[in-house]
Amino acid sequence: MTRTTPALVALVFALPAAAQEMTDEQKSTVTEIHEPVPETVETSEDAPPSDATVLFGGENLDAWEGMEGGEAPWTVEDGAMRIARGEGGIRTTEDFCDVQLHVEWRSPEETEGYDGQDRGNSGIFLQDRYEVQVLDSYDNPTYVNGQAASIYKQHAPMVNASGAPGEWQSYDIVYTAPDFSDAGMLTEPARVTVLHNGVVVQNDVEIQGKTVWIGAPAYDEAHGCAPISLQDHDADVAYRNIWVRPLN
Ligand code: MG
């Protein structure tokens, strides 16, 4: 069914007399947009969208470096990259702002002796600052704004969509970077949507500032595009199939 919006009605009545003699077919074209034409993206079940930047395709850490630069200290095995515990996190060599980000991760199958924040803890830091928590939250209570798919210490996920320990899980993240004035004041906070294993768990929530363990988050420094980083929180978490689509 074609719906006539108030704006369109106003437009048609505002047309000069000659234009009012247009046929409905002609009038219908007044509100059509023809350019720019969206670019074509190829999609398939087993591959990233054709316009995605692959950050980890299973073979090497070429898109990554250590947190102070230099070679990424993590290892690659069976198509997955693994945290080298105690060696620190890794970050992309490229900077990103607004993105669609796909990440798959797996926490250890063996959970004996590990509870709460100590069970499969890692994290995805957008712009190297804002953490989407990675944690084994399958039958593993902790503070809810620190469980899997929380925006750490800010927003709990709406539901717990966690898979079992040792299972591959996915995050699909849509992230809008914060904006700052020329004087360095925050003008728009960052926003994020997260799907955990295909389930929406964060719906366009406002990020309150840089992720911190103690105290309140704040935007204490203006910044531009920055790397995406992955946390070494001393757990054997593995990652695979990571790709990103810059949105700006
Ligand atoms: Mg973490």
Side-chain angles (χ1 to χ4, degrees):
M1 175 179 115
T2 305
R3 200 177 298 172
T4 307
T5 65
L8 179 56
V9 170
L11 181 66
V12 170
F13 279 97
L15 292 172
Q20 289 198 27
E21 282 157 28
M22 291 192 305
T23 64
D24 283 354
E25 187 71 20
Q26 289 166 326
K27 287 177 193 167
S28 75
T29 66
V30 171
T31 47
E32 292 177 359
I33 297 170
H34 291 264
E35 287 182 325
V37 177
E39 285 185 30
T40 300
V41 173
E42 311 283 337
T43 63
S44 90
E45 291 264 308
D46 348 290
S50 60
D51 65 344
T53 299
V54 174
L55 295 175
F56 181 70
E59 307 206 320
N60 60 62
L61 297 172
D62 290 358
W64 302 84
E65 61 185 16
M67 295 305 286
E68 308 297 332
E71 206 166 306
W74 295 12
T75 59
V76 177
E77 205 179 300
D78 300 331
M81 59 183 187
R82 292 164 175 278
I83 291 172
R85 290 169 62 175
E87 296 294 315
I90 62 174
R91 67 185 184 198
T92 56
T93 56
E94 203 178 323
D95 290 338
F96 297 97
C97 292
D98 298 2
V99 291
Q100 175 185 352
L101 175 66
H102 176 86
V103 175
E104 295 174 23
W105 59 272
R106 184 183 62 193
S107 63
E109 195 169 354
E110 180 56 59
T111 60
E112 188 69 38
Y114 295 98
D115 291 312
Q117 293 289 310
D118 290 331
R119 187 182 292 182
N121 195 334
S122 182
I124 298 157
F125 282 72
L126 300 158
Q127 292 193 298
D128 212 12
R129 292 169 176 82
Y130 313 109
E131 183 182 15
V132 179
Q133 172 72 312
V134 168
L135 193 77
D136 173 3
S137 287
Y138 189 89
D139 195 18
N140 178 36
T142 184
Y143 44 96
V144 296
N145 61 352
Q147 72 180 65
S150 64
I151 307 307
Y152 185 74
K153 289 274 178 98
Q154 298 186 25
H155 299 284
M158 293 188 285
V159 293
N160 184 348
S162 295
E167 279 180 12
W168 282 103
Q169 308 196 42
S170 67
Y171 284 167
D172 287 283
I173 297 170
V174 181
Y175 172 70
T176 305
D179 264 335
F180 299 89
S181 69
D182 290 342
M185 299 301 292
L186 180 75
T187 53
E188 289 286 344
R191 307 195 71 87
V192 69
T193 292
V194 180
L195 282 73
H196 182 186
N197 295 329
V199 176
V200 175
V201 292
Q202 304 284 355
N203 184 11
D204 194 32
V205 296
E206 182 180 311
I207 295 177
Q208 295 151 4
K210 187 174 174 177
T211 298
V212 285
W213 180 40
I214 298 171
Y219 288 96
D220 51 8
E221 53 157 5
H223 63 84
C225 300
I228 294 163
S229 56
L230 302 177
Q231 184 184 45
D232 168 16
H233 200 285
D234 202 27
D236 290 320
V237 175
Y239 287 89
R240 72 175 185 191
N241 195 17
I242 305 176
W243 52 260
V244 65
R245 297 180 60 250
L247 299 177
N248 52 352

